[in-house]
Amino acid sequence: DVGTKFPPETEKIPKVGHPYRPSIEGMISLQPELVIASEENLPEATVQQLRSAKIPVLIIENSGKRIEDLEKRIQTIATATGVPDEGSKLTTEMKKKFEETKNKADALRKKHGLKRVFFLYAHGPGKAFIYGTETGSHVLIELVGAKNAADFTSGVKPLTAEAMVQAAPDAIIMLERGLTSVEGLEGALKLPGVALTPAGKNRLIIQVDDSIRWISPRFPDFASKLLAELYKEKP
């Protein structure tokens, strides 16, 4: 889909439209041997149209709320594509990286105290959202041994100044495109309530990869990078 940016080689692959509104005609024109998609990306009507065109479709569970869900997705896809051993290898490597990050995070938390981290999802100066529990960002924050400052809610909610002040985060993470949409750090500080938080006062707003909202095999790398950014002033 047009949102695919990683790995760089995907830029050379034909795109089939918006991730939540893919072009059926575009997919059929590529004559795929198999279409793999999650429940959130491919509505049942689209699935039936593809199958009517004699194209096999494998629907996997959504990106999930736990690392265990990711492991299941990896093995399902690896088995469907005929490389189950590669799926097991990837899962093993991923678990090892998670364990390394957890150990490092535990040591830093004991040394510097628990950090409160808030994921702020912005579409522009006038449109931003809170991501509470049961989200990919919540899993990422917990992976680095921090506390989700928005754990007083679940899912995705519109941002209000009151909620931001209530969260009182030590650090705020924002997507690359989110920071761009508000014109950088100064624009982020103007979002509702941000300047009144410890993170806002210390200007600790950390840029993260655009895909952290979904739990993926890249999560160990995202966690390692966030951990370094979170404690960079206190090595």
Side-chain angles (χ1 to χ4, degrees):
D1 59 68
V2 295
T4 303
K5 305 295 182 184
F6 183 90
E9 290 80 2
T10 57
E11 292 298 324
K12 302 175 184 177
I13 298 175
K15 300 294 193 292
V16 293
H18 190 280
Y20 294 102
R21 296 184 298 277
S23 166
I24 299 173
E25 294 79 11
M27 285 189 279
I28 293 175
S29 71
L30 295 173
Q31 299 181 319
E33 296 175 18
L34 175 65
V35 172
I36 301 175
S38 63
E39 297 168 325
E40 59 196 328
N41 292 101
L42 217 57
E44 181 59 29
T46 303
V47 173
Q48 292 308 320
Q49 284 181 279
L50 289 170
R51 287 176 175 160
S52 295
K54 309 301 182 185
I55 295 174
V57 180
L58 170 63
I59 297 298
I60 54 178
E61 295 176 351
N62 293 342
S63 51
K65 301 160 185 149
R66 304 175 304 155
I67 297 300
E68 291 79 6
D69 297 330
L70 170 59
E71 294 171 4
K72 182 179 179 182
R73 283 164 62 97
I74 290 172
Q75 207 56 52
T76 297
I77 293 172
T79 300
T81 52
V83 287
D85 290 346
E86 289 299 313
S88 299
K89 180 181 176 182
L90 176 58
T91 300
T92 299
E93 291 174 350
M94 196 173 61
K95 284 182 176 178
K96 182 181 178 182
K97 288 182 179 179
F98 279 137
E99 189 64 27
E100 290 172 352
T101 299
K102 181 182 182 299
N103 292 338
K104 192 182 299 182
D106 287 346
L108 286 168
R109 185 178 64 249
K110 288 177 182 176
K111 184 177 180 180
H112 303 297
L114 180 67
K115 295 282 188 180
R116 295 174 57 82
V117 180
F118 188 102
F119 172 51
L120 178 55
Y121 183 53
H123 282 293
K127 194 172 184 182
F129 298 88
I130 293 171
Y131 272 57
T133 59
E134 301 186 7
T135 59
S137 55
H138 177 78
V139 173
L140 178 63
I141 290 168
E142 289 201 325
L143 278 175
V144 299
K147 177 179 175 61
N148 183 358
D151 65 1
F152 52 81
T153 188
S154 62
V156 184
K157 305 288 190 305
L159 174 69
T160 64
E162 292 79 11
M164 178 59 82
V165 172
Q166 176 185 347
D170 299 305
I172 293 172
I173 57 177
M174 292 183 68
L175 303 183
E176 294 172 15
R177 69 166 183 265
L179 265 175
T180 299
S181 74
V182 297
E183 301 182 353
L185 175 61
E186 298 304 326
L189 292 172
K190 295 176 183 176
L191 291 170
V194 171
L196 301 175
T197 66
K201 292 173 182 175
N202 292 319
R203 301 169 70 85
L204 188 52
I205 296 179
I206 302 169
Q207 179 177 286
V208 293
D209 190 278
D210 286 338
S211 63
I212 64 107
R213 290 184 296 151
W214 300 279
I215 304 173
S216 75
R218 298 176 68 199
F219 250 50
D221 296 327
F222 295 157
S224 180
K225 184 178 179 181
L226 177 56
L227 191 62
E229 290 284 337
L230 195 57
Y231 290 97
K232 63 182 178 181
E233 296 180 356
K234 296 180 179 179

